[in-house]
Amino acid sequence: MTPLAGLIAESLRAEGPMSVHDYMALCIGHERYGYYATRDPLGPRGDFITATEVSQMFGELIGMWCADTWRRMGAPAPVRLVELGPGRGTLMADALRAAHKVAPEFRRALGVHLVETSPVLRAAQRARLAAAAPSWHAALAEVPVGPTLLVANEFFDALPIRQVERTCDGWRERMIVLAADGCGFRVTVGVPSVHGAALPTGAAADAPLGAVAEDCPAGSACAGEIGRRVAAEGGAALIIDYGYRASASGDTLQAVRHHRTTDPFANPGACDLTAHVDFAALARAAREAGARVHGPVDQGAFLMALGIDARAATLKTDAAPVVARAVDAALARLIGHEHMGTLFQVMALTHPGMAAPEGFGDGA
Ligand code: SAH
């Protein structure tokens, strides 16, 4: 049993059922025993790999996108370059290197702001990004005001979701209780009144018994805050994650440990818990806050529009065959349909006066 499982079992005995939302929040974010508080989960020896860690091309192209968008904003100085959930700092390091090369005036104008709660990953970011003298913040609200470029890769999938289930008494919130043998947890449904949850409406409200619907209050709040910021201060944000374009129903809570999916209710705090990102919900929140929404588009199409194939060709020039093969493999992984190319979506939120940024065609 993990230390967090012990704490959760104690709480269930003392206070009764706990919502899946609160369970997920504890598993990811408990300040002593939560998943991100205790480890660096990225890489082949960790639990999962992000596009950032697959290849330097990903962060470089995002750095170039930021430089291009900054020019379209009228090249404000200073500009805040904000990353939500920067992991090991790899994306920011690759982006800054590329920005320095293609747009030194952008590199000089920007200040780096990292929104990160994990002390372990903050240490990794400090080691990686010391030369850029970043500032760290626990939340976006702490980042000083001003024109902003923001990047969030695989951040929104790590925010806790609420789940409701259709029962014969209507929609009820999904809760966890102790399993019959007293160790381990199982899912049940709570009391009939669900407060605050965005319950399915329209056709989705007539889902069959047992159907599950999700919402992510922290995700919507964060998209709203980004929207308010870029609408008020000028700027743009790039949100990249796996998920669906239109809100859909279904249980997407997923646990990953050592690159394999596992039971989300076993080993709390020791495996990565994520859920599909509902891009339509994020777009709604950002629009309501005054921003303009572009996309989402498939990650593969986005990276192709930014010129990833040319970047790959450059990296392969004069490279040893083993290096060239690695570049090709990374490219296939980032853009291929069977890999991250279509599962991952890219959405931009901008000031309402901005035309579609690079990679989003004319569809705004
Ligand atoms: N963006 C990175 C890694 C994503 S992993 C990459 O491209 O490789 C998720 C990141 O979000 C981690 O850095 C994690 O510590 C951070 N995180 C998770 N929940 C958070 C929260 N509520 N506030 C701030 N950061 C959070």
Side-chain angles (χ1 to χ4, degrees), residues 66 79-83 92 96 106 110-113 149 151:
C66 288
V79 60
R80 322 271 178 224
L81 180 58
V82 182
E83 186 174 359
M92 184 59 81
L96 291 174
F106 169 57
L110 67 86
V112 176
H113 295 269
L149 283 158
V151 178

Side-chain angles (χ1 to χ4, degrees), residues 103-126:
E105 62 296 355
F106 169 57
R107 179 65 192 89
R108 280 193 297 276
L110 67 86
V112 176
H113 295 269
L114 306 175
V115 177
E116 175 62 71
T117 43
S118 159
V120 180
L121 290 172
R122 275 191 185 201
Q125 292 151 19
R126 191 169 290 119

Side-chain angles (χ1 to χ4, degrees), residues 177-190:
V177 290
L178 283 171
D181 60 4
C183 64
F185 311 112
R186 68 179 178 82
V187 178
T188 181
V189 288

Side-chain angles (χ1 to χ4, degrees), residues 28 36 42 48 50 52-53 83 85-87 91 115-118 121 125 138 153-155 158-159:
I28 300 165
Y36 284 108
L42 291 149
F48 62 94
T50 58
T52 303
E53 301 294 336
E83 186 174 359
L91 190 159
V115 177
E116 175 62 71
T117 43
S118 159
L121 290 172
Q125 292 151 19
N153 181 52
E154 290 210 47
F155 169 75
L159 299 178

Side-chain angles (χ1 to χ4, degrees), residues 164-165 167 169-173 189-195 199:
V164 291
E165 184 174 322
T167 71
D169 296 329
W171 291 95
R172 297 208 199 175
E173 184 153 13
V189 288
V191 294
S193 68
V194 178
H195 46 248
L199 292 178

